[in-house]
Amino acid sequence: MNKLLQVNNLSVSFFSHENEVEAVRNVSFEVHKGETVGIVGESGSGKSVTARTIMRLLPSPPSMVKNGEVLFNGQNLAFKSDKEMESIRGKDIGMIFQDPMSSLNPTMRIGKQIEESLIKHQKLNKKEARKEAIAMLKMVGIPNSEARYMQYPHEFSGGMRQRVMIAIALACRPSLLIADEPTTALDVTIQAQILNQMKELQQKLGTAIILITHDLGVVAGMCDRVVVMKDGEIVETGTTEEIFASPKHPYTLKLLNALPRLDEKKKPKQAPNIVIEKDDVPLLQVRSLKQHFDLGKGQIIKAVNDISFEIKAGETLGVVGESGSGKSTTGRAILRLNEATGGEVLYKGIPLQQLNRSEMKVMRRHMGMIFQDPYASLNPRQRIVDIIGEALDVHKLAGSKQERQRRVEELLEMVGLNASHALRYPHEFSGGQRQRIGIARTLAVEPEFIVCDEPLSALDVSIQAQIVKLLEDLQQKLGLTYLFIAHDLSMVKHISDRVAVMYKGKIVELAESEELYANPIHPYTQSLLAAIPIPDPKVEAKKKLVPLQDNSHPDPYGLEQSSFVQVNEGHWVAMAAN
């Protein structure tokens, strides 16, 4: 097999006025024509720095390649001029970046951004480039590609922007594609489609791929060989089968064991340490909840469209579905962060929509929310002691300054931090630590019910496992009740007692977690489960995707005229009316 890329003893450092940070140390690996090499590791392991060094995209200063070489088709890219690299980037080596919004030009139409490389490298005229750009948009699954060609990045969702990035990277059919977390912003079904398309292109053109990811399920299904990085170094490398079947390094084993697998049985839930009062009335009742948004000119978005469910005290109800399904809007409507269009929410039998502002303020002591983005939800100008203490001040739960300080320190210790963290600012913490701070703030008012809105999406796999363990421990210790919103169905299965599947504002299936995963009935649920990657190469090789129905149809599953029927005890499914 011919070597397309060879990285030898690569070391990269970043310099500041005070010190040197060795981001990559003596990294060596190779990529052969037509193969896929996965680079895995947590944030800060050096994956993206290695990729950007190959592409010569790191600013110098503050970065510096201290030693090593990058050989592409026998040529050392380290000695190429900037002009020579311009002729290689896009044409011979393509790159899919992790954050599509910061990588796309907000002032240029999407079509023009795809055309740039086609005109520069393929020497196409404007008419040919337009035709090819529209074809690329179709290839990556963007509907109405002719109209979308004329739109700007801000008019696309996060997942759609990532597809545009993939279209740009693949436009010139490069011999090497570097994909830096290419599916992070995508739902599982879209992720499966994109990865499938990358495989097809690879088979057709013989393109080699470097896949940088933290999702070991994606690695199992996509990669021929795996490189495991930690703290800037390669700690293990081997074929995908070798790495998954017999990992040698403790860090590799830690990554593999970090998250539960979809095909594993759920562990029994531990009983809470405190006595939960059993009542005939569920803790939370949602009845015919609607949340519509009027966009003007007769356009109404039915984000939540007549849903009903109940949650018992001490229970965890998982809510899953793709972006735009209405999961987060449901959570916000329950807490009255958005005023619902219709329906009612009862907490311990009390109708929340009928409470005035002061009454709702008192009720918020019993209900909290953990937000999706652990950085955006924390005030960057406040110290942690004030971020957490603010909730104590609002509800007058701390008498003196000393009592307030003591309570904040107790909360920090409860979530696995310590008292010294109280005087720091949010930017001084990692993503996982910031999420713990967000949890501590939520717990400050001693709530009984918490809406967990995608609390894991911004975190590495091992940090996700820590946060889930923390949430489970807190539930056992404090008797908490959760509405757990997520798109990671593997995690939802293991943390939830029951799972509700949402699609276009409706609940299409609701069942005990083991029952739903073992016997999914609704076609949308089947599609979601089939798309989830399993961290096992043998399982991934045998797996077949369940194709989604035509997404261009406004209601492919007939849910506008569906009925909610019980198919088993506790298992409810929305079935389209005949």
Side-chain angles (χ1 to χ4, degrees):
M1 193 180 288
N2 296 326
K3 290 179 184 177
L4 181 66
L5 178 77
Q6 194 167 357
V7 177
N8 297 322
N9 299 316
L10 183 67
S11 295
V12 181
S13 291
F14 289 85
F15 294 89
S16 67
H17 295 296
E18 299 175 353
N19 58 8
E20 171 188 355
V21 176
E22 296 179 310
V24 173
R25 295 194 297 276
N26 298 316
V27 164
S28 298
F29 65 92
E30 56 193 37
V31 181
H32 298 98
K33 291 182 179 179
E35 79 165 341
T36 301
V37 174
I39 302 180
V40 300
E42 296 173 293
S43 299
S45 62
K47 309 185 303 294
S48 294
V49 172
T50 300
R52 288 175 178 267
T53 303
I54 293 170
M55 293 286 283
R56 292 268 305 276
L57 291 176
L58 290 177
S60 179
S63 69
M64 175 182 170
V65 177
K66 298 194 71 176
N67 63 268
E69 58 183 3
V70 178
L71 301 176
F72 178 71
N73 278 331
Q75 303 176 68
N76 193 346
L77 300 185
F79 294 111
K80 295 285 183 184
S81 66
D82 290 341
K83 190 169 184 64
E84 288 173 323
M85 283 303 300
E86 284 180 13
S87 66
I88 293 173
R89 294 191 202 107
K91 181 184 179 183
D92 299 314
I93 307 177
M95 186 162 183
I96 303 168
F97 295 94
Q98 183 172 355
D99 183 358
M101 194 58 188
S102 62
S103 304
L104 294 171
N105 187 331
T107 66
M108 283 181 67
R109 297 183 192 276
I110 289 297
K112 296 297 180 184
Q113 298 192 52
I114 301 174
E115 286 178 6
E116 273 189 324
S117 60
L118 292 167
I119 293 171
K120 178 179 177 62
H121 298 301
Q122 303 287 74
K123 308 302 180 187
L124 301 183
N125 60 40
K126 288 186 178 180
K127 185 177 180 181
E128 292 169 333
R130 178 189 172 95
K131 183 179 178 181
E132 183 63 20
I134 291 172
M136 290 303 301
L137 288 173
K138 287 180 180 177
M139 190 197 81
V140 296
I142 293 180
N144 304 319
S145 51
E146 289 84 356
R148 288 290 200 173
Y149 169 93
M150 296 298 294
Q151 292 182 325
Y152 291 92
H154 72 271
E155 298 179 86
F156 285 68
S157 67
M160 286 290 190
R161 287 195 290 264
Q162 190 64 293
R163 294 198 210 187
V164 171
M165 284 299 306
I166 293 170
I168 293 171
L170 299 179
C172 292
R173 310 299 196 266
S175 56
L176 176 63
L177 178 65
I178 301 175
D180 187 2
E181 299 277 9
T183 57
T184 299
L186 305 182
D187 295 310
V188 287
T189 53
I190 305 304
Q191 171 179 274
Q193 293 171 23
I194 293 297
L195 294 175
N196 219 33
Q197 288 170 348
M198 288 172 64
K199 280 184 182 179
E200 289 175 3
L201 183 69
Q202 183 177 41
Q203 292 168 358
K204 182 179 177 182
L205 302 175
T207 305
I209 299 174
I210 296 176
L211 179 62
I212 298 170
T213 182
H214 66 268
D215 191 329
L216 293 168
V218 170
V219 170
M222 281 286 294
C223 300
D224 301 300
R225 289 187 297 114
V226 182
V227 174
V228 183
M229 291 190 70
K230 182 181 186 295
D231 298 331
E233 296 180 304
I234 293 176
V235 296
E236 188 167 359
T237 184
T239 66
T240 305
E241 289 75 15
E242 290 170 348
I243 293 293
F244 281 84
S246 181
K248 302 291 190 299
H249 197 276
Y251 180 70
T252 309
L253 193 61
K254 174 189 170 186
L255 290 179
L256 289 170
N257 293 335
L259 291 178
R261 288 169 44 159
L262 188 66
D263 55 350
E264 290 178 341
K265 284 200 170 184
K266 177 183 172 182
K267 293 179 181 177
K269 187 175 181 179
Q270 290 183 309
N273 291 348
I274 66 172
V275 177
I276 298 176
E277 294 181 9
K278 298 296 180 182
D279 200 329
D280 293 336
V281 178
L283 184 72
L284 185 81
Q285 295 169 282
V286 176
R287 297 175 178 172
S288 301
L289 186 67
K290 300 181 182 70
Q291 181 75 70
H292 299 171
F293 297 100
D294 190 347
L295 303 182
K297 297 182 180 180
Q299 288 186 302
I300 296 177
I301 299 294
K302 297 180 179 180
V304 178
N305 192 15
D306 193 14
I307 67 170
S308 302
F309 59 86
E310 299 177 346
I311 307 179
K312 298 175 184 177
E315 183 185 27
T316 299
L317 176 68
V319 180
V320 299
E322 297 175 292
S323 299
S325 63
K327 309 185 303 296
S328 295
T329 306
T330 298
R332 297 179 70 85
I334 287 171
L335 298 181
R336 283 188 63 185
L337 299 179
N338 294 334
E339 290 297 339
T341 307
E344 61 179 354
V345 177
L346 288 83
Y347 185 79
K348 291 186 173 180
I350 301 170
L352 299 185
Q353 273 72 22
Q354 296 179 18
L355 302 182
N356 60 34
R357 188 170 181 176
S358 60
E359 291 170 333
M360 193 62 205
K361 180 181 174 181
V362 174
M363 186 60 69
R364 289 195 195 283
R365 268 211 60 188
H366 307 285
M367 311 170 76
M369 187 166 190
I370 301 169
F371 295 94
Q372 181 172 358
D373 187 337
Y375 192 75
S377 60
L378 302 178
N379 189 334
R381 297 181 178 181
Q382 284 187 321
R383 296 181 190 272
I384 303 307
V385 64
D386 295 318
I387 289 173
I388 299 175
E390 187 175 31
L392 299 172
D393 299 338
V394 168
H395 293 282
K396 297 180 173 58
L397 298 177
S400 64
K401 188 175 180 181
Q402 292 76 17
E403 187 179 342
R404 179 184 191 259
Q405 178 78 23
R406 185 169 59 251
R407 178 58 179 154
V408 169
E409 291 175 359
E410 286 175 0
L411 289 163
L412 287 173
E413 289 173 3
M414 190 181 294
V415 298
L417 300 174
N418 58 60
S420 66
H421 292 134
L423 298 179
R424 297 185 188 178
Y425 290 93
H427 73 271
E428 298 179 79
F429 294 87
S430 68
Q433 288 174 319
R434 286 196 291 262
Q435 195 59 285
R436 288 173 183 267
I437 292 165
I439 294 170
R441 179 180 58 184
T442 303
L443 294 175
V445 296
E446 300 177 356
E448 299 167 301
F449 170 71
I450 298 177
V451 175
C452 305
D453 185 13
E454 297 272 12
L456 311 175
S457 61
L459 308 177
D460 289 315
V461 285
S462 60
I463 307 301
Q464 287 183 28
Q466 293 173 22
I467 296 298
V468 166
K469 179 69 166 59
L470 172 63
L471 290 172
E472 289 177 330
D473 289 346
L474 290 171
Q475 185 174 43
Q476 182 194 8
K477 181 179 178 181
L478 304 175
L480 298 173
T481 303
Y482 293 140
L483 179 71
F484 192 87
I485 299 168
H487 67 268
D488 187 333
L489 284 84
S490 303
M491 185 54 68
V492 169
K493 172 185 176 180
H494 289 271
I495 196 173
S496 304
D497 299 295
R498 292 183 299 135
V499 178
V501 181
M502 286 195 71
Y503 175 76
K504 290 194 174 181
K506 285 183 175 287
I507 292 176
V508 298
E509 192 158 359
L510 176 62
E512 299 288 330
S513 62
E514 285 284 9
E515 169 66 19
L516 184 133
Y517 285 79
N519 185 31
I521 294 173
H522 197 276
Y524 180 67
T525 310
Q526 294 170 2
S527 297
L528 282 180
L529 294 175
I532 299 169
I534 305 292
D536 187 327
K538 293 179 181 178
V539 174
E540 283 294 301
K542 296 176 183 176
K543 191 168 70 174
K544 293 182 180 180
L545 291 180
V546 176
L548 285 167
Q549 298 186 33
D550 181 11
N551 282 330
S552 64
H553 192 285
D555 188 26
Y557 295 122
L559 296 181
E560 290 296 338
Q561 283 136 26
S562 64
S563 57
F564 212 50
V565 299
Q566 186 171 11
V567 292
N568 287 313
E569 185 178 354
H571 195 145
W572 297 82
V573 182
M575 291 297 188
N578 293 325

